[in-house]
Amino acid sequence: MKSLLVTGGAGFIGANFVQYWLNHYPYHKLVVLDALTYAGNLANLEAVKDHPNLTFVHGNILNTELVKELMQHHQTDTVVHFAAESHVDRSITGPDAFLETNIMGTHSLLKAAKQIWLDSGVDDHRFHHVSTDEVYGTLAENDPPFTEATAYAPNSPYAASKASSDHLVRAYQETYGLKTTISNCSNNYGSYHFPEKLIPLVITNILADKALPIYGDGKQVRDWLYVEDHARGIELVLSKGKIGENYNIGGHNEWHNIDIVKLICQLMNEAFATEPELAQRFPDALSVAKGSAESLITFVKDRPGHDRRYAIDAAKSRCELGYEPAESFETGIRKTLQWYLNNEEWWRSVMDGSYQGWVSQQYHA
């Protein structure tokens, strides 16, 4: 039986990975370690809370002794490291937490893995580190997409902290022989996405008839990846990836931010037009109920150091791993929109902090 330690497994991407893994590998043991900061929430794991092979531990990756204890007790052979501070705006106003969690937290995990695996002669192991395309910096309009050979050039404290953590993982591979892989993904979207990020923010603000803030001219370009496609990509890295290698996981799907917002407005207008009960369920959604969600679009001052364009070249993952996104943006964004319309209780509870978790009844740190 495989035994995975998943850090940050109650966050957006981590929770989707946990659900994906348990659905596909129900006999594997999963230990989720999460500090349950603002973006980590047990509501994200509600659907799998009764799974017999899931253990949740409320704890911090900076606690190296706790990590070592969990790895020993559960005979962990695989670490999948999602835990990170990840919101660029927050990193600009408060960078310290990003350096502490993303750099020192990753080092804490690497130290624990070295001691539990290498110092004990455990050869069958894998440390997989989940990173971001933001470590590569920014692209001009006609530049080719980022490849795994692109030089790192981070432009925000968040991106710099993730670049540093990538280098630490590589150093433990090169210096100590820890068996590592790294994946750098493009912007994820999908279910359980914390509502401060662009796509869920637009959806929930439309439902509250609030302004849809767009930085600068809205022409920033991002490659969008449906979160379950990201989970499949990590699965392929774990099963087929070469030790010591980096793999880009992208959606082959570049969009201007303003066009994303306009598309969501259009889809929301259509949804309210075809489902009259939505206007009753969301009485505050006055603009979209009139078919004019786009009237809420508001341009605001651009943030400092705002990267203009990200684009992932996932050719290496396609050729070596057989990776291809299963969802087009059209199918993925419709699934995402429907999920938020169907899960109002989830996003309201995580936004106001009112969710009362199941951990107090079932699992304890």
Side-chain angles (χ1 to χ4, degrees):
M1 176 191 292
K2 297 286 286 184
S3 179
L4 286 72
L5 173 64
V6 182
T7 71
F12 161 49
I13 303 176
N16 275 280
F17 174 83
V18 168
Q19 293 194 35
Y20 177 89
W21 202 268
L22 289 174
N23 286 334
H24 289 79
Y25 304 96
Y27 299 108
H28 288 183
K29 181 187 296 186
L30 258 71
V31 179
V32 171
L33 175 62
D34 199 295
L36 298 181
T37 56
Y38 74 97
N41 198 302
L42 283 167
N44 299 349
L45 296 173
E46 187 81 32
V48 291
K49 68 178 184 179
D50 296 322
H51 197 287
N53 285 331
L54 173 66
T55 300
F56 177 83
V57 178
H58 182 194
N60 198 306
I61 59 173
L62 287 158
N63 187 342
T64 310
E65 292 304 312
L66 172 61
V67 175
K68 288 163 57 179
E69 178 185 337
L70 292 174
M71 292 181 69
Q72 283 183 317
H73 180 74
H74 295 281
Q75 297 182 301
T76 299
D77 53 40
T78 304
V79 171
V80 184
H81 176 32
F82 292 98
E85 296 284 348
S86 64
H87 195 255
V88 175
D89 286 0
R90 289 176 183 255
S91 82
I92 293 170
T93 57
D96 288 7
F98 288 73
L99 274 62
E100 183 177 61
T101 297
N102 298 355
I103 301 175
M104 298 308 299
T106 299
H107 189 223
S108 171
L109 292 171
L110 290 165
K111 287 191 297 182
K114 177 182 177 294
Q115 292 178 45
I116 297 302
W117 290 335
L118 298 184
D119 295 354
S120 302
V122 177
D123 185 62
D124 184 15
H125 66 263
R126 175 73 69 88
F127 187 105
H128 181 71
H129 176 59
V130 181
S131 189
T132 171
D133 57 1
E134 297 195 37
V135 299
Y136 298 123
T138 189
L139 293 168
E141 182 178 355
N142 296 316
D143 286 344
F146 301 127
T147 73
E148 290 82 355
T150 301
Y152 279 22
N155 290 321
S156 70
Y158 161 62
S161 68
K162 290 298 289 184
S164 299
S165 64
D166 290 8
H167 292 321
L168 278 171
V169 173
R170 183 179 186 276
Y172 265 73
Q173 159 76 26
E174 295 294 327
T175 302
Y176 303 112
L178 192 69
K179 294 182 177 180
T180 69
T181 44
I182 299 173
S183 56
N184 297 83
C185 70
S186 51
N187 279 32
N188 282 219
Y189 70 99
S191 55
Y192 303 104
H193 203 176
F194 193 76
E196 72 181 354
K197 300 298 180 79
L198 178 65
I199 288 176
L201 176 69
V202 170
I203 295 170
T204 55
N205 275 18
I206 288 173
L207 295 175
D209 211 44
K210 293 182 179 178
L212 309 179
I214 307 297
Y215 281 128
D217 61 4
K219 293 294 185 179
Q220 303 85 3
V221 176
R222 299 294 182 262
D223 174 35
W224 291 93
L225 173 66
Y226 190 62
V227 67
E228 189 168 309
D229 282 328
H230 187 188
R232 290 194 312 104
I234 294 172
E235 175 190 28
L236 288 169
V237 175
L238 291 174
S239 62
K240 298 180 179 180
K242 297 176 183 177
I243 300 302
E245 293 290 317
N246 288 51
Y247 293 93
N248 284 345
I249 301 176
H252 305 163
N253 180 44
E254 292 185 53
W255 282 73
H256 289 105
N257 284 350
I258 184 62
D259 293 333
I260 289 279
V261 175
K262 288 179 177 178
L263 174 62
I264 295 172
C265 288
Q266 174 191 331
L267 294 176
M268 290 287 277
N269 287 339
E270 291 175 4
F272 271 71
T274 57
E275 301 176 53
E277 65 274 14
L278 288 176
Q280 298 178 347
R281 286 178 50 207
F282 300 100
D284 293 331
L286 302 177
S287 297
V288 69
K290 294 184 292 186
S292 59
E294 64 279 0
S295 66
L296 298 171
I297 293 174
T298 304
F299 290 91
V300 299
K301 182 180 178 181
D302 208 353
R303 71 182 180 209
H306 199 175
D307 291 334
R308 194 64 173 172
R309 174 174 169 247
Y310 304 142
I312 281 283
D313 181 345
K316 178 179 177 180
S317 294
R318 181 174 64 251
C319 294
E320 294 188 14
L321 309 177
Y323 167 77
E324 287 287 351
E327 297 290 343
S328 68
F329 191 66
E330 180 179 358
T331 61
I333 197 65
R334 288 183 181 276
K335 285 184 177 181
T336 301
L337 176 60
Q338 195 60 53
W339 190 88
Y340 278 88
L341 290 174
N342 293 342
N343 288 274
E344 178 185 4
E345 182 179 355
W346 176 86
W347 53 262
R348 289 202 186 279
S349 70
V350 299
M351 288 172 73
D352 64 20
S354 63
Y355 176 77
Q356 298 297 315
W358 41 268
V359 66
S360 59
Q361 292 84 36
Q362 277 193 270
Y363 302 108
H364 301 272

